[in-house]
Amino acid sequence: MSQCPGIMDLARLYQTEFVRSARAVGVLWAVCTLCLAIVQVVILLQPSWIGTSDTPVLQAAPVLPKGTIGLFEVCMETEWPIPDCRGGVSSLSPLPCFQSVAVLVGVSLWAVWTSVLCLCLFRFCSAVTVYKICAWLQLTAGFCLALACLLFPDSWESPEMRALCGDSVGSFSLGNCSVHWTFILAVLGVLDCSILATLAFVLANRQDALLPPNSHDVTSGLLMTA
C-alpha cells in the first residue's frame, strides 16, 4: 500500500508528459493544415498548370506563342514584363476545358479550409472528435485533388491548349508544352492531405486509448492555449 502514492505520481507524470507531447504534435499539425490551406488557394488561382517549353521546333512548323495556362486564365508573354492574360478568377468562370477540374479543386479547397475552421472546436468538443472530423475533411480534400490531377491530362485536347501548344496536343499529350510548378504543387498537395489526415487519426486514436475520459478537456485547453 505504501507504493500506491508513488505509482499514482508516476502515472500522473506519464499523463502530463503525454499531454505535452500531444500538444506539441497537435500544434505542428494545425500549422501544417493552415499552410496546406494557403497552398490550395495558390493551386486554384495560379495560371501556371501548363506552359510552353523551350524545346526547339522545326523550321517548317508555325511559330507558337509563349505563355502559361491555368484553370481560369491563359497568359501570353509579351514584350513587356507583364504578360497578357485572358480570363481570371474574378469572373468565377473557369476555362471550358477545365471546368470539372476547377470544381474538384474548389471542393478540395473548401474541405481544407473547413478543417482549419474546425480548429476552433477544440474549445467546445473533445480533441478526439475534432481530430477525427478534420481527418475526414482532409481525406476528402486529398481525394478531390487527386481526382482533379487525374482528370487534368484528359482535358488537354481543347482550343485553348491548341492555341498555346500546337496542333499536336491531345489527351495526355502536351505537344509543345510541359507541366509547370502549379500542377506539381497540386500533386504534392495530395501527399500533404494524406499525411495530415493520417497524423490526425493517429493523434485521435492515441488520445482515445491512453488518456482517461476526464483528460480530454485538459488536452483541449492545452491545444487552445498553445
Side-chain angles (χ1 to χ4, degrees):
M1 296 297 295
S2 61
Q3 294 180 351
C4 288
I7 295 176
M8 293 179 62
D9 292 340
L10 181 61
R12 192 176 297 108
L13 178 62
Y14 173 75
Q15 179 180 336
T16 303
E17 291 297 326
F18 175 81
V19 172
R20 288 178 179 175
S21 299
R23 180 184 62 178
V25 177
V27 170
L28 178 62
W29 169 83
V31 172
C32 292
T33 299
L34 180 60
C35 293
L36 176 62
I38 297 173
V39 167
Q40 289 274 43
V41 175
V42 174
I43 291 172
L44 183 66
L45 300 184
Q46 280 296 318
S48 298
W49 283 65
I50 295 295
T52 52
S53 60
D54 296 330
T55 54
V57 296
L58 298 176
Q59 293 183 355
V63 178
L64 296 173
K66 291 184 177 296
T68 58
I69 187 171
L71 302 181
F72 287 85
E73 58 184 331
V74 180
C75 294
M76 298 295 185
E77 294 184 4
T78 62
E79 297 179 355
W80 301 94
I82 301 176
D84 181 20
C85 296
R86 177 173 58 86
V89 185
S90 58
S91 62
L92 298 179
S93 178
L95 297 178
C97 56
F98 299 139
Q99 286 183 350
S100 58
V101 179
V103 170
L104 289 170
V105 176
V107 173
S108 178
L109 176 66
W110 168 84
V112 172
W113 275 103
T114 303
S115 68
V116 172
L117 296 177
C118 285
L119 297 179
C120 300
L121 296 178
F122 277 116
R123 185 177 296 274
F124 309 103
C125 305
S126 66
V128 176
T129 302
V130 178
Y131 279 132
K132 289 183 178 180
I133 292 174
C134 292
W136 282 112
L137 285 171
Q138 290 168 353
L139 279 180
T140 302
F143 174 78
C144 292
L145 192 58
L147 190 58
C149 293
L150 291 176
L151 291 179
F152 182 65
D154 191 43
S155 306
W156 290 345
E157 192 173 357
S158 63
E160 293 84 3
M161 290 289 294
R162 289 185 182 276
L164 188 66
C165 305
D167 293 333
S168 60
V169 72
S171 297
F172 298 91
S173 177
L174 280 173
N176 192 45
C177 294
S178 60
V179 293
H180 271 211
W181 61 272
T182 307
F183 179 75
I184 298 174
L185 192 63
V187 175
L188 294 177
V190 177
L191 182 61
D192 290 342
C193 289
S194 302
I195 294 175
L196 290 176
T198 302
L199 181 57
F201 278 124
V202 170
L203 287 171
N205 292 333
R206 285 187 63 84
Q207 291 195 50
D208 199 20
L210 298 180
L211 290 178
N214 59 359
S215 64
H216 293 305
D217 295 336
V218 176
T219 306
S220 301
L222 288 172
L223 283 170
M224 289 302 299
T225 56

